[in-house]
Coordinates of all heavy atoms in Angstrom, one line a residue:
Y1 N 1.3 -13.9 56.1 CA 0.1 -13.3 55.4 C 0.6 -12.1 54.7 O 1.7 -11.6 54.9 CB -0.9 -12.8 56.5 CG -1.6 -14.0 57.2 CD1 -1.0 -14.8 58.1 CD2 -3.0 -14.2 56.9 CE1 -1.7 -15.8 58.7 CE2 -3.7 -15.2 57.5 CZ -3.0 -16.0 58.4 OH -3.7 -17.0 59.0
R2 N -0.2 -11.6 53.7 CA 0.1 -10.4 53.0 C -1.1 -9.5 52.8 O -2.2 -10.0 52.8 CB 0.8 -10.7 51.7 CG -0.1 -11.4 50.7 CD 0.7 -11.8 49.5 NE -0.1 -12.4 48.4 CZ 0.4 -13.0 47.3 NH1 1.7 -13.0 47.1 NH2 -0.4 -13.6 46.5
Q3 N -0.8 -8.2 52.7 CA -2.0 -7.3 52.5 C -1.5 -6.2 51.6 O -0.4 -5.7 51.7 CB -2.4 -6.7 53.9 CG -3.6 -5.9 53.9 CD -4.1 -5.6 55.3 OE1 -3.3 -5.6 56.2 NE2 -5.4 -5.4 55.4
V4 N -2.5 -5.8 50.7 CA -2.3 -4.6 49.9 C -3.4 -3.6 50.3 O -4.4 -4.0 50.8 CB -2.4 -5.0 48.4 CG1 -1.3 -5.9 48.0 CG2 -3.7 -5.6 48.0
P5 N -3.1 -2.4 50.0 CA -4.1 -1.3 50.4 C -5.5 -1.6 49.9 O -5.7 -1.9 48.7 CB -3.5 0.0 49.9 CG -2.1 -0.3 49.9 CD -1.9 -1.7 49.5
G6 N -6.5 -1.5 50.7 CA -7.9 -1.7 50.3 C -8.4 -3.1 50.2 O -9.5 -3.4 49.9
K7 N -7.5 -4.1 50.6 CA -7.9 -5.5 50.5 C -7.6 -6.1 51.9 O -6.8 -5.6 52.7 CB -7.1 -6.2 49.4 CG -7.5 -5.8 48.0 CD -6.9 -6.8 47.0 CE -7.3 -6.4 45.6 NZ -6.8 -7.4 44.6
Q8 N -8.3 -7.3 52.1 CA -8.1 -8.0 53.3 C -6.8 -8.7 53.4 O -6.2 -9.0 52.3 CB -9.2 -9.0 53.5 CG -10.6 -8.4 53.9 CD -11.6 -9.5 54.3 OE1 -11.5 -10.6 53.8 NE2 -12.5 -9.2 55.2
R9 N -6.3 -8.9 54.6 CA -5.0 -9.6 54.7 C -5.3 -11.1 54.3 O -6.4 -11.6 54.7 CB -4.6 -9.5 56.2 CG -3.2 -10.0 56.5 CD -2.8 -9.6 57.9 NE -2.7 -8.2 58.1 CZ -2.2 -7.6 59.2 NH1 -1.8 -8.4 60.2 NH2 -2.2 -6.3 59.3
E10 N -4.4 -11.7 53.6 CA -4.7 -13.1 53.1 C -3.5 -14.0 53.5 O -2.3 -13.5 53.6 CB -4.8 -13.1 51.6 CG -3.6 -12.7 50.8 CD -3.8 -12.9 49.3 OE1 -4.9 -13.3 48.9 OE2 -2.8 -12.6 48.6
L11 N -3.9 -15.2 53.8 CA -2.8 -16.2 54.1 C -2.0 -16.5 52.9 O -2.5 -16.7 51.8 CB -3.5 -17.5 54.6 CG -2.5 -18.7 54.9 CD1 -1.7 -18.4 56.0 CD2 -3.3 -20.0 55.0
V12 N -0.7 -16.5 53.0 CA 0.2 -16.9 52.0 C 0.7 -18.4 52.2 O 0.6 -19.2 51.3 CB 1.5 -16.0 51.9 CG1 2.4 -16.5 50.9 CG2 1.0 -14.6 51.7
A13 N 1.2 -18.6 53.4 CA 1.7 -20.0 53.7 C 1.7 -20.1 55.2 O 1.9 -19.1 56.0 CB 3.1 -20.2 53.1
A14 N 1.6 -21.4 55.7 CA 1.7 -21.6 57.1 C 2.3 -23.0 57.4 O 2.3 -23.9 56.5 CB 0.3 -21.6 57.8
I15 N 2.9 -23.1 58.6 CA 3.5 -24.4 59.0 C 3.1 -24.7 60.4 O 3.2 -23.8 61.3 CB 5.0 -24.3 58.7 CG1 5.7 -25.7 59.0 CG2 5.7 -23.2 59.5 CD1 7.1 -25.8 58.5
T16 N 2.7 -25.9 60.7 CA 2.4 -26.3 62.1 C 3.6 -26.9 62.7 O 4.6 -27.3 62.0 CB 1.2 -27.2 62.1 OG1 1.5 -28.4 61.3 CG2 0.0 -26.5 61.5
N17 N 3.5 -27.2 64.0 CA 4.7 -27.7 64.7 C 4.9 -29.2 64.4 O 5.9 -29.8 64.9 CB 4.7 -27.4 66.2 CG 3.4 -28.0 66.8 OD1 2.7 -28.8 66.2 ND2 3.2 -27.7 68.1
D18 N 4.1 -29.8 63.6 CA 4.3 -31.2 63.2 C 4.9 -31.2 61.7 O 5.1 -32.2 61.1 CB 3.1 -32.1 63.2 CG 2.0 -31.6 62.3 OD1 2.2 -30.6 61.6 OD2 1.0 -32.3 62.2
G19 N 5.1 -30.0 61.2 CA 5.7 -29.8 59.9 C 4.7 -29.7 58.7 O 5.2 -29.6 57.6
S20 N 3.5 -29.8 59.0 CA 2.4 -29.7 58.0 C 2.4 -28.3 57.4 O 2.5 -27.3 58.2 CB 1.1 -30.1 58.5 OG 1.1 -31.4 58.9
T21 N 2.3 -28.2 56.1 CA 2.3 -26.9 55.5 C 1.0 -26.7 54.6 O 0.4 -27.7 54.2 CB 3.5 -26.6 54.6 OG1 3.5 -27.7 53.6 CG2 4.8 -26.7 55.4
N22 N 0.7 -25.5 54.5 CA -0.4 -25.1 53.5 C -0.1 -23.8 52.8 O 0.6 -22.9 53.4 CB -1.8 -25.2 54.0 CG -2.1 -24.1 55.1 OD1 -1.5 -24.1 56.1 ND2 -3.0 -23.2 54.7
Y23 N -0.5 -23.7 51.6 CA -0.2 -22.5 50.8 C -1.4 -22.0 50.1 O -2.3 -22.7 49.7 CB 0.8 -22.9 49.7 CG 2.2 -23.3 50.2 CD1 2.4 -24.7 50.5 CD2 3.2 -22.4 50.4 CE1 3.7 -25.1 51.0 CE2 4.4 -22.8 50.9 CZ 4.7 -24.1 51.2 OH 5.9 -24.5 51.6
A24 N -1.4 -20.7 49.8 CA -2.4 -20.1 48.9 C -2.2 -20.6 47.5 O -1.0 -20.9 47.1 CB -2.3 -18.6 48.9
D25 N -3.2 -20.8 46.8 CA -3.1 -21.4 45.4 C -2.2 -20.5 44.6 O -1.5 -21.0 43.7 CB -4.5 -21.5 44.8 CG -5.3 -22.6 45.4 OD1 -4.7 -23.5 46.0 OD2 -6.5 -22.6 45.1
S26 N -2.3 -19.2 44.8 CA -1.5 -18.3 44.0 C 0.0 -18.4 44.1 O 0.8 -17.8 43.3 CB -2.0 -16.8 44.3 OG -1.7 -16.5 45.6
V27 N 0.5 -19.0 45.2 CA 1.9 -19.1 45.4 C 2.5 -20.5 45.4 O 3.7 -20.8 45.5 CB 2.3 -18.5 46.8 CG1 1.8 -17.0 46.8 CG2 1.9 -19.3 48.0
K28 N 1.6 -21.5 45.2 CA 2.0 -22.9 45.2 C 3.0 -23.1 44.1 O 2.8 -22.7 42.9 CB 0.8 -23.9 45.0 CG 0.0 -24.0 46.3 CD -1.2 -25.0 46.0 CE -2.0 -25.2 47.3 NZ -3.2 -26.0 47.0
G29 N 4.1 -23.8 44.4 CA 5.1 -24.1 43.4 C 6.1 -23.0 43.3 O 7.2 -23.2 42.7
R30 N 5.9 -21.8 43.9 CA 6.8 -20.7 43.8 C 7.4 -20.3 45.2 O 8.5 -19.9 45.3 CB 6.1 -19.5 43.2 CG 5.6 -19.7 41.8 CD 5.1 -18.3 41.3 NE 4.0 -17.7 42.0 CZ 4.0 -16.5 42.5 NH1 5.1 -15.8 42.4 NH2 3.0 -16.1 43.2
F31 N 6.6 -20.5 46.3 CA 7.0 -20.1 47.6 C 7.1 -21.4 48.5 O 6.4 -22.3 48.3 CB 5.9 -19.2 48.3 CG 5.8 -17.8 47.7 CD1 6.4 -17.5 46.5 CD2 5.0 -16.9 48.4 CE1 6.3 -16.2 46.0 CE2 4.9 -15.6 47.9 CZ 5.5 -15.3 46.7
T32 N 8.1 -21.3 49.4 CA 8.3 -22.4 50.3 C 8.4 -21.9 51.7 O 9.3 -21.0 52.0 CB 9.5 -23.2 49.9 OG1 9.4 -23.7 48.6 CG2 9.7 -24.4 50.9
I33 N 7.6 -22.4 52.6 CA 7.8 -22.0 54.0 C 8.6 -23.1 54.8 O 8.4 -24.3 54.5 CB 6.4 -21.8 54.7 CG1 6.5 -21.2 56.1 CG2 5.6 -23.1 54.7 CD1 5.2 -20.7 56.7
S34 N 9.4 -22.7 55.7 CA 10.2 -23.7 56.5 C 10.4 -23.1 57.8 O 10.2 -21.9 58.1 CB 11.5 -24.0 55.7 OG 12.3 -22.8 55.6
G35 N 11.0 -24.0 58.7 CA 11.3 -23.6 60.1 C 10.1 -23.9 60.9 O 9.4 -24.9 60.8
G36 N 9.8 -23.0 61.9 CA 8.7 -23.2 62.8 C 9.1 -23.2 64.2 O 10.2 -22.8 64.6
N37 N 8.2 -23.6 65.0 CA 8.3 -23.5 66.5 C 9.6 -23.9 67.1 O 10.2 -23.2 67.9 CB 7.1 -24.1 67.2 CG 7.2 -24.0 68.7 OD1 7.4 -22.9 69.2 ND2 7.0 -25.1 69.4
A38 N 10.0 -25.1 66.7 CA 11.2 -25.7 67.4 C 12.4 -24.9 67.1 O 13.4 -24.9 67.9 CB 11.4 -27.1 66.9
K39 N 12.5 -24.2 66.0 CA 13.6 -23.3 65.7 C 13.4 -21.9 66.0 O 14.2 -21.1 65.7 CB 14.0 -23.5 64.2 CG 14.4 -25.0 63.9 CD 14.7 -25.1 62.4 CE 15.1 -26.6 62.1 NZ 15.5 -26.7 60.7
N40 N 12.2 -21.5 66.5 CA 11.9 -20.2 66.8 C 11.9 -19.2 65.6 O 11.8 -18.0 65.8 CB 12.8 -19.6 67.9 CG 12.8 -20.5 69.1 OD1 11.8 -21.2 69.4 ND2 13.8 -20.5 69.9
T41 N 12.1 -19.7 64.5 CA 12.2 -18.8 63.3 C 11.5 -19.5 62.1 O 11.6 -20.7 62.0 CB 13.7 -18.6 62.9 OG1 14.4 -18.0 64.0 CG2 13.8 -17.6 61.7
V42 N 10.8 -18.7 61.3 CA 10.2 -19.3 60.2 C 10.6 -18.4 59.0 O 10.9 -17.2 59.1 CB 8.6 -19.2 60.3 CG1 8.1 -17.8 60.4 CG2 8.0 -20.0 59.2
Y43 N 10.8 -19.1 57.9 CA 11.2 -18.5 56.6 C 10.2 -18.6 55.5 O 9.4 -19.6 55.5 CB 12.5 -19.2 56.2 CG 13.6 -19.2 57.2 CD1 13.8 -20.3 58.1 CD2 14.5 -18.1 57.4 CE1 14.8 -20.3 59.0 CE2 15.5 -18.1 58.3 CZ 15.6 -19.2 59.2 OH 16.6 -19.2 60.1
L44 N 10.3 -17.7 54.6 CA 9.5 -17.8 53.4 C 10.4 -17.6 52.2 O 10.8 -16.4 52.0 CB 8.3 -16.8 53.4 CG 7.3 -17.0 52.2 CD1 6.5 -18.3 52.3 CD2 6.3 -15.8 52.2
Q45 N 10.7 -18.6 51.5 CA 11.5 -18.5 50.3 C 10.5 -18.2 49.1 O 9.6 -19.0 48.8 CB 12.3 -19.7 50.0 CG 13.1 -19.7 48.7 CD 14.2 -18.7 48.7 OE1 14.9 -18.5 49.8 NE2 14.4 -17.9 47.7
M46 N 10.7 -17.1 48.5 CA 9.8 -16.6 47.4 C 10.6 -16.6 46.1 O 11.5 -15.8 45.9 CB 9.2 -15.3 47.7 CG 8.5 -15.2 49.0 SD 7.7 -13.6 49.3 CE 9.1 -12.5 49.4
N47 N 10.2 -17.4 45.2 CA 10.9 -17.5 43.8 C 9.9 -17.1 42.7 O 8.7 -17.1 43.0 CB 11.4 -18.9 43.6 CG 12.4 -19.4 44.6 OD1 13.2 -18.5 45.1 ND2 12.5 -20.6 44.9
S48 N 10.4 -16.8 41.6 CA 9.6 -16.5 40.4 C 8.5 -15.4 40.8 O 7.3 -15.5 40.5 CB 8.9 -17.7 39.9 OG 9.8 -18.7 39.5

């Protein structure tokens, strides 16, 4: 999630333990979430 001063925290990207992902429209095609529960670590690759 991300937050800027004066605004609500918003979802950027999420991944479930079956590998399903979802993204905010504003980051689709630029950000990629990977990892998750089985690896105990989650990553967010942010491009452009």
Side-chain angles (χ1 to χ4, degrees):
Y1 288 71
R2 66 187 181 188
Q3 188 170 25
V4 297
K7 292 191 175 182
Q8 285 190 330
R9 194 171 295 188
E10 63 174 3
L11 174 69
V12 177
I15 185 166
T16 59
N17 59 9
D18 66 356
S20 299
T21 58
N22 65 295
Y23 296 90
D25 287 344
S26 60
V27 307
K28 283 180 181 177
R30 301 188 298 121
F31 291 11
T32 303
I33 190 169
S34 62
N37 181 46
K39 300 181 180 180
N40 305 334
T41 302
V42 65
Y43 304 95
L44 185 68
Q45 178 66 43
M46 305 186 293
N47 299 328
S48 302

